[in-house]
Amino acid sequence: MARRGKPKGRPISGWVILDKPKGLGSTDAVSKLKWLYFAQKAGHAGTLDPLASGMLPIAFGDATKTVPYVMDGQKVYRFTVRWGAETATDDTEGPVLRASDLRPQQTDIEQAMNAYRGEISQVPPQYSAIKIDGERAYDLARGGESVEIAARGVTIHRLDIVSMPDAETTVFEAECGKGTYVRALARDMGRDLGCFGHVIDLRRLSVGAFDEADMVTLEELEAAADEGRETLDEEAVTAGARARVVDFTPLDDYLLDASEALGELYEVSLSDEQSARVLSGNPVLLRGRDAPAFCDEAFATGLGRLIAIGSIEQGSFHPRRVFGGR
């Protein structure tokens, strides 16, 4: 029987909130950061199209256990719609399907927007990651198939006009819940206005508990990696050797604790003794008059980091998921 080898990489835990550039896919971004950090495990919270830019939260190690809490959080997008054409992909990648010479006035757009606030029914784009009989919709669409995608309920908490640079374009900002497609918003508003429309620029500004202040660019991370690389002598350079990152401190300075993803949950602060008990899977009694007697979901911190996610029952914290830390 083959023996399992030791996992490659560093067993780090935490979040890096990448300001993803246009042209880079979400999976490629995760692979790039996993390589930079020499991390054992990495994943992301919410795919961002290659043509889009902005926030792509990337989790390492134990922080991947908090990914669902980020994905379920609200998201803020700023996007630009070009009026006059509807495309197959609802963005600039696809061919034009329908066109119009009509251009909407701001008052017309503002009136149409009223139908897209609150809980609405939305049909995802044909070119989307929705699974149809086990296959991604965009794979079927690229293969020439026209697929039936069922409408789904989504929530738009806020939809505002940011600016109207010219008669052809309108810049919007939307705060929305899980599963919302901004491209579908542009498509549907264009149909309602009778002029058609598609997204020409899309940027994600926030996801869940993370906001713009948390973002770091790929250039900043690469510079931090270079700062921690070993210095090669002339002989090694001549031989074609590649400098390795030997000091990860500059990179690790950009890591956010896994607990940063849990901003909407109740936090329990534990002593060192309580932390040790919880890390062993045992419940602990909470003291203090402000401690709740019951809470469906809470997280515990101690020893300077996230310890566990669990519930509070009859004044005791019961861990359901324990975090080993870096």
Side-chain angles (χ1 to χ4, degrees):
M1 181 176 177
R3 295 178 59 186
R4 293 181 61 183
K6 184 178 179 181
K8 292 182 179 180
R10 299 190 302 145
I12 59 171
S13 176
W15 285 91
V16 170
I17 313 305
L18 180 67
D19 186 348
K20 188 191 78 67
K22 289 182 181 180
L24 182 65
S26 296
T27 301
D28 292 335
V30 172
S31 297
K32 176 72 173 179
L33 264 64
K34 185 180 180 183
W35 176 78
L36 278 176
Y37 275 87
F38 193 51
Q40 286 183 0
K41 185 178 182 181
H44 65 77
T47 299
L48 200 57
D49 291 341
L51 289 182
S53 68
M55 184 174 291
L56 181 66
I58 295 177
F60 296 114
D62 269 357
T64 56
K65 298 175 184 176
T66 65
V67 164
Y69 296 92
V70 179
M71 294 189 69
D72 287 344
Q74 296 179 22
K75 301 171 180 67
V76 176
Y77 295 92
R78 182 166 291 183
F79 60 103
T80 302
V81 176
R82 176 163 291 156
W83 307 113
E86 180 176 316
T87 69
T89 56
D90 300 319
D91 59 21
T92 59
E93 276 198 304
V96 172
L97 299 179
R98 292 191 277 185
S100 170
D101 293 329
L102 181 66
R103 297 296 179 267
Q105 298 297 311
Q106 182 166 340
T107 53
D108 298 325
I109 299 171
E110 288 172 344
Q111 186 173 356
M113 286 163 57
N114 291 327
Y116 295 93
R117 295 189 179 101
E119 295 183 8
I120 67 170
S121 180
Q122 183 185 76
V123 177
Q126 288 275 314
Y127 286 77
S128 65
I130 299 293
K131 282 195 172 182
I132 308 293
D133 295 330
E135 293 192 63
R136 299 289 185 187
Y138 53 65
D139 288 330
L140 296 171
R142 285 168 185 155
E145 292 187 46
S146 179
V147 296
E148 280 280 335
I149 303 179
R152 59 198 331 197
V154 298
T155 304
I156 311 294
H157 301 280
R158 177 172 60 85
L159 179 61
D160 301 315
I161 292 176
V162 176
S163 65
M164 293 187 66
D166 52 54
E168 304 283 331
T169 55
T170 304
V171 181
F172 296 90
E173 193 165 286
E175 183 176 354
C176 48
K178 182 179 180 181
T180 305
Y181 279 90
V182 170
R183 286 180 290 144
L185 273 179
R187 175 200 67 205
D188 294 342
M189 280 196 290
R191 290 176 180 176
D192 288 349
L193 290 164
C195 63
F196 308 119
H198 64 280
V199 170
I200 62 171
D201 187 68
L202 172 62
R203 180 169 175 80
R204 189 156 65 190
L205 303 179
S206 70
V207 180
F210 301 120
D211 58 30
E212 288 184 272
D214 297 316
M215 285 198 282
V216 56
T217 66
L218 189 56
E219 289 77 15
E220 288 173 313
L221 293 174
E222 289 175 331
D226 288 340
E227 190 178 337
R229 292 189 192 280
E230 64 185 348
T231 302
L232 297 178
D233 57 31
E234 187 176 343
E235 183 179 346
V237 173
T238 303
R242 186 172 184 175
R244 298 176 299 115
V245 175
V246 292
D247 179 10
F248 286 92
T249 303
L251 274 170
D252 290 347
D253 284 343
Y254 288 107
L255 275 177
L256 301 180
D257 189 77
S259 63
E260 296 291 329
L262 306 174
E264 296 183 0
L265 302 185
Y266 181 82
E267 180 179 358
V268 175
S269 297
L270 303 178
S271 66
D272 290 355
E273 182 181 348
Q274 288 175 315
S275 298
R277 284 187 54 80
V278 169
L279 285 170
S280 297
N282 299 306
V284 292
L285 181 65
L286 303 179
R287 303 189 183 280
R289 61 183 181 182
D290 294 332
F294 295 92
C295 186
D296 289 337
E297 201 158 36
F299 70 97
T301 54
L303 304 174
R305 60 178 176 82
L306 177 64
I307 296 295
I309 296 174
S311 61
I312 299 173
E313 303 168 22
Q314 297 181 332
S316 293
F317 177 78
H318 294 257
R320 289 200 301 262
R321 177 164 282 185
V322 174
F323 294 76
R326 290 191 198 181

